[in-house]
Every structure is written in structure tokens, then in C-alpha cells.
Amino acid sequence: MAINPFFIGNYMESQRSIADIRDKVQSFKREGNTVAFVPTMGALHEGHLSLFRLAQQKADKVIASIYVNPEQFAPDEDFEEYPRELQDDLEKCEEEGVAAVFAPTDEIMYPGKQFLSIEVDELNEYMDGGSRPGFFEGILLVVNKLFNIIKPDFAVFGQKDIQQFRILQQMVTEFNHDIELVMGPIKRANDGLALSSRNKYLDDEQRKLAPGLYRSLQYVGKQIVDGAKNVELLLDHQKNELEAKGFKIDYLNLFSFEKMKPVTSPQANSKYILAGAVYLGETRLIDNIIIEK
């Protein structure tokens, strides 16, 4: 049974049902509009808003989704605590000119028992995939469903989740989605901290320390670009520095962009990701820099 949309302000609609959001997108396309899609888990911040603005540069109409996907959370992760601020999020979407929002429930996205799944090979062996088993399988499952529901011309994701972007690139290629993926740059606070909904978990002291991850990446990245050969030594030194300040290291390494695997000797004319994930207390922070030699 379709659930009626509810309205925010004067024009933006938020759709709860698959049928309603499909009708809305199809109406846009019948009018000759191109459609860009920005999937989110809500708790919107300036990083998300920058993706909406990028999407508006690519297409006539922007569709957002707001859905905290249970399939990408392990049992010991923060699914229940993850911030949910739907009304505030919808108001931000309207302010940014988002044409419609898909805000489904779990019952709509996962009705009944799920008999099928998506597996990932190699691309999730390291980085976040190595630390969070099942994480990218859950992301691929929900994004594949969202792509099939929305059928956008463009889909916009942030660089902060760069392994996600690379794996979704592969999904689009292998599953023959007729969608162009667009990666938006990382939006940062004035002190360099990558914006994240989970930054709300940091206490005042942790928030002061948090930009240290980005500073470490900047330092190592500059050394690599300037020709440093012993990348492993550079990384080990920065790990020790971060741990001395109170960070717990999940990973800090240089990875190939193509296969998402660690690299010790970067080569010319190649693309790499210098990436790290750390804990401050219970809060996990991620960040990365793209390096092209």
C-alpha cells in the first residue's frame, strides 16, 4: 500500500514508498529533466550539502535519500545510536533546492526474508573492508536497490568514503547500471577535520585532537609527492605520533586506487590513496588524500 508523501515548505516532497518516489522521478524525466541522486544516512552536515550542490551542477533535478541502512552495521556497531534527525534533514534538503527525498522505512527496503546477497572480492580486503566484515556487502545491497528504484542519470558520493566509491564504480560497471558516478571532494572544518555525522560523538578534548589524522596524511603525502622512497618508515613514524597523542590506529597506509591494496613503492603515472582510520575513544574517524604521481 502506498504511503502518502508529506510536504516540506512550499514545494519539496518527501516520499516514503517506492511507488511514489518512482512516480516523482518519472514525472521529472517526462518533462525532459536529467536526474542526479545523492544517497545519505541523514544527520546532514555541510559535507552532504556540498554533494547536493555538486549534483545540481550535473543535472536538472536532485533526488536525495535518507535511510540508515541496517545491513551495513555489524552487531557491535552504532546502528541504534546513529543520529536520526529527519525533520531537520528535510528542511536542509529544501533549503538546498533538492527536488524530492526518498525516506523509506526498514519494512519498505527489506520486506520479509532476504534470500539474495551481493559479495565483494579483493576490493574490500583492506581499509574499511578489512576492519568491518560485511560492511561493503551491506552498502552494495542498499545502493543497488536504490539505483533500481530511482534510476538516476548521475549519482554523487563523497571522497571521504573513497573505498565505497571505488567499489560502487565496479558495481556500476559489472551490473551494467546506466549511471555516471560523481565523486565530491572532502568537506572539512576550519581545522582540517573531515566532516562526518559521527563527529558529534567526540567530546571537547577529542575534537581538538581529531584533526591530527589529516595533518599526518598531509605530511606523508607531501613526502611521497616529493619523492620519498621509504613510505613504510614514514607511516610507522606517523602511527607512533598519533598513538602518543591518544589515537588508536585501525589502519594508516598507502593503497592503490585500482585494487585498494597496500603499496610500499609508489610508481610514476599511477593513482594512490593515502588513507587512515583511527579511534578517539569509541569514535571511529576516517580520512584520505588522493595522490597522483
Side-chain angles (χ1 to χ4, degrees):
M1 181 178 70
I3 300 173
N4 290 331
F6 50 93
F7 293 85
I8 305 299
N10 296 320
Y11 85 99
M12 193 197 75
E13 295 181 57
S14 175
Q15 314 286 352
R16 286 290 198 180
S17 80
I18 291 172
D20 286 340
I21 193 64
R22 278 179 169 163
D23 286 346
K24 176 55 63 176
V25 174
Q26 288 167 9
S27 73
F28 290 150
K29 290 191 172 184
R30 282 194 299 270
E31 294 166 356
N33 296 298
T34 54
V35 172
F37 176 47
V38 185
T40 83
M41 291 207 302
L44 302 181
H45 51 68
E46 187 62 29
H48 297 105
L49 306 188
S50 72
L51 299 183
F52 295 155
R53 294 162 195 159
L54 179 57
Q56 287 167 340
Q57 296 174 23
K58 301 294 293 186
D60 302 311
K61 299 289 185 180
V62 175
I63 308 295
S65 65
I66 297 174
Y67 178 61
V68 182
N69 174 38
E71 294 295 321
Q72 68 193 66
F73 288 79
D76 61 342
E77 292 185 329
D78 60 340
F79 175 68
E80 295 297 335
E81 294 78 22
Y82 196 87
R84 292 165 171 83
E85 304 164 355
L86 182 58
Q87 186 62 36
D88 184 60
D89 289 341
L90 292 172
E91 290 171 1
K92 288 176 179 175
C93 287
E94 185 188 27
E95 289 170 2
E96 290 298 325
V98 173
V101 175
F102 182 44
T105 63
D106 291 343
E107 291 73 22
I108 286 172
M109 291 303 292
Y110 300 106
K113 178 177 173 55
Q114 304 294 298
F115 291 93
L116 305 179
S117 62
I118 300 177
E119 294 185 359
V120 186
D121 187 29
E122 291 191 40
L123 296 177
N124 66 339
E125 187 175 353
Y126 299 96
M127 299 175 69
D128 287 341
S131 303
R132 304 177 69 184
F135 176 58
F136 287 112
E137 287 83 353
I139 288 176
L140 287 181
L141 180 63
V142 76
V143 174
N144 191 52
K145 289 166 75 73
L146 289 168
F147 281 0
N148 286 329
I149 292 166
I150 306 296
K151 298 187 185 303
D153 301 292
F154 305 90
V156 183
F157 298 85
Q159 180 189 326
K160 185 170 71 68
D161 300 302
I162 197 163
Q163 189 176 20
Q164 169 183 277
F165 185 86
R166 175 68 190 91
I167 292 174
L168 288 173
Q169 272 188 324
Q170 201 64 32
M171 184 187 80
V172 165
T173 298
E174 294 189 18
F175 287 12
N176 304 111
H177 285 289
D178 187 19
I179 298 170
E180 180 182 330
L181 294 191
V182 180
M183 183 167 68
I186 297 174
K187 194 72 175 177
R188 300 184 181 278
N190 290 337
D191 58 6
L193 177 64
L195 298 186
S196 169
S197 300
R198 287 187 169 96
N199 290 351
K200 295 179 180 181
Y201 300 159
L202 298 169
D203 64 28
D204 290 345
E205 186 59 32
Q206 291 167 344
R207 178 60 187 82
K208 292 176 184 176
L209 291 171
L213 173 60
Y214 181 49
R215 288 194 285 269
S216 288
L217 294 175
Q218 285 181 303
Y219 175 78
V220 175
K222 184 177 187 307
Q223 301 304 308
I224 292 172
V225 170
D226 289 346
K229 302 298 183 185
N230 198 333
V231 176
E232 188 173 2
L233 182 63
L234 282 170
L235 290 167
D236 284 344
H237 179 264
Q238 288 305 306
K239 289 176 186 176
N240 291 335
E241 290 280 319
L242 288 170
E243 286 173 343
K245 294 175 182 176
F247 291 84
K248 178 183 175 183
I249 309 296
D250 184 346
Y251 64 81
L252 185 68
N253 216 331
L254 183 69
F255 302 89
S256 67
F257 187 89
E258 183 64 24
K259 293 192 174 180
M260 298 278 128
K261 291 188 174 182
V263 174
T264 55
S265 300
Q267 306 298 313
N269 303 314
S270 297
K271 189 173 183 178
Y272 301 96
I273 303 163
L274 182 61
V278 299
Y279 287 91
L280 277 175
E282 298 298 316
T283 306
R284 187 173 184 272
L285 306 174
I286 63 172
D287 205 344
N288 69 80
I289 293 173
I290 296 174
I291 296 175
E292 299 192 58
K293 292 202 69 179

